[in-house]
Amino acid sequence: ETQTIHEGGSLPGENPGSALTGNQQTYNKNLPLPIRSLMKGLIRQNMIACGEADERVCRPRHRPADGMVAIQEVAAKYGVARKSLSRLARDGSIASLCIPALVKSPILVNDAEVAELVAEKSKCISGTETSVRLGIPRISLSSLGQADLLRPTSKPRLASRGNIYFTRSSVEELEQRCLAAAQAGSPPKGSVSILAAVVRLRMASSNPWAGIISKIFGGQLTIWRANHKALMYALRLANTGELEGVSDCQDLALDDSGRLTVAEAAVLLGTDASKMGELIKRGFVPARPTVEELRHFTSKFVLTADVAFLIRERGRRCRWREIPPLLRSAGIEPVTTLICNRGLVWPRLPVMQEIENRFPM
């Protein structure tokens, strides 16, 4: 449909570095000759005007020779979020350069400096990632730092979220020492993960993790290793009673400054994530609750599993399915049912009075 007409020589006033280079113009071959001549003149005038105007786009020859690279290039090279580099360039945390004479110029950053930032971040692990790897709630991680089981470090400059970070080497060392203490072979039948034992014994709110890990290091807990990524899910005990002798670390308080995920809140309440989600849906606790908000809930209500635990603490064997008829016989009705006939929520005050009257210490 088109033919290209080549003219000899270069156009007057043409700038070899402009966006339009060379001396080729394309015309529709079906156009009449007068119109083609008119287009030829208009294009020539346009190219002259462009050659005399300021350039608008940054070209390779504008780039300094001292390792400055466009942000999008260095972000792709190191697998870093471009917005993180832009944030550091805006606040002056890293050196940056923009060609002022150009209308459209990318922000240039130093490749070596970005490489240093990437190396800095690779030596750290955020509190969220550490919690997932260890299977320990984030609010308990600070206490592990106080007990010298983890080494806290400053927030890497490339990190945009989170305020708790640990050295990667300390997290990996804790994992390796715990796994090295595990017995050879498969876990015995009926074994339970350490996290499940903590939940069943209602120990999470007393922050027992530093004590548990110290006893693992000292060989005072017999553990086996199962196939699970999270450490405290993978490490298993012969039975729940193995943890009953572990003393609480009362001087190592929970970090209750932040909000909890559903899973973390469930661990603290001694329930599972599905029932925790129902509590949130029904307005008993807010979404992403704080530790204080969970304490407010437990001051007014109690779950069936907690009632069974409180009765067992008084030396009486009791299964959770025996709790509803026992409390109903005393005229106590549940406030709500979370999932079918499971997950009953009871008013705390009358339940505690009934336990004290029926099962005296």
Side-chain angles (χ1 to χ4, degrees), residues 36 48 81 83 125 127-128 161 195 222 238 259 286 293 306:
R36 286 158 55 187
I48 293 173
K83 62 181 181 181
I125 302 183
T128 300
R161 297 180 180 178
L195 182 60
T222 303
R259 295 199 167 271
E293 288 166 340
D306 291 310

Side-chain angles (χ1 to χ4, degrees), residues 39-60:
M39 291 181 61
K40 174 182 175 181
L42 293 174
I43 292 175
R44 182 187 294 274
Q45 294 175 9
N46 180 267
M47 293 188 69
I48 293 173
C50 289
E52 294 174 348
D54 292 335
E55 294 184 276
R56 298 176 60 85
V57 181
C58 182
R59 299 182 182 282

Side-chain angles (χ1 to χ4, degrees), residues 152-338:
T153 186
S154 58
K155 180 179 177 179
R157 286 172 289 173
L158 270 180
S160 58
R161 297 180 180 178
N163 53 7
I164 301 177
Y165 282 82
F166 302 93
T167 61
R168 186 176 297 273
S169 59
S170 68
V171 175
E172 293 174 348
E173 180 184 353
L174 188 150
E175 289 176 320
Q176 292 167 3
R177 290 185 65 181
C178 286
L179 294 175
Q183 302 293 310
S186 301
K189 185 177 180 180
S191 64
V192 61
S193 71
I194 291 180
L195 182 60
V198 167
V199 172
R200 292 179 188 177
L201 294 174
R202 302 302 187 267
M203 298 173 64
S205 59
S206 63
N207 197 16
W209 297 106
I212 290 173
I213 294 173
S214 297
K215 287 187 178 294
I216 291 175
F217 288 175
Q220 297 166 277
L221 279 179
T222 303
I223 57 173
W224 288 264
R225 179 181 181 181
N227 186 22
H228 201 287
K229 291 183 179 179
L231 183 66
M232 292 301 159
Y233 280 102
L235 299 181
R236 304 187 72 83
L237 302 164
N239 54 69
T240 303
E242 295 287 328
L243 280 188
E244 290 181 349
V246 177
S247 60
D248 299 340
C249 298
Q250 299 292 348
D251 56 328
L252 301 179
L254 293 169
D255 179 9
D256 56 2
S257 59
R259 295 199 167 271
L260 307 173
T261 64
V262 172
E264 290 170 339
V267 170
L268 288 182
L269 282 188
T271 186
D272 55 56
S274 60
K275 294 187 183 71
M276 190 69 226
E278 287 295 320
L279 288 173
I280 293 173
K281 187 184 300 183
R282 295 169 191 236
F284 284 95
V285 293
R288 299 299 301 271
T290 63
V291 173
E292 186 58 35
E293 288 166 340
L294 291 184
R295 289 173 181 155
H296 179 71
F297 169 80
T298 57
S299 69
K300 293 186 174 183
F301 306 102
V302 62
L303 303 179
T304 302
D306 291 310
V307 178
F309 176 75
L310 292 170
I311 294 175
R312 285 197 298 268
E313 273 194 327
R314 293 170 177 262
R316 308 297 180 91
R317 294 181 61 84
C318 183
R319 298 180 180 179
W320 72 267
R321 61 177 57 89
E322 299 172 358
I323 301 302
L326 184 149
L327 294 179
R328 284 189 170 111
S329 67
I332 304 173
E333 291 295 328
V335 177
T336 188
T337 303
L338 299 179

Side-chain angles (χ1 to χ4, degrees), residues 63 68-90 94-97 105-110 114:
R63 182 174 297 168
M68 301 298 282
V69 184
I71 271 187
Q72 60 267 30
E73 294 181 27
V74 75
K77 177 180 178 180
Y78 293 108
V80 178
R82 179 177 174 179
K83 62 181 181 181
S84 297
L85 294 177
S86 298
R87 170 177 54 82
L88 294 176
R90 283 195 305 270
I94 59 174
S96 61
L97 178 65
S105 172
I107 298 175
L108 307 179
V109 294
N110 189 278
V114 175

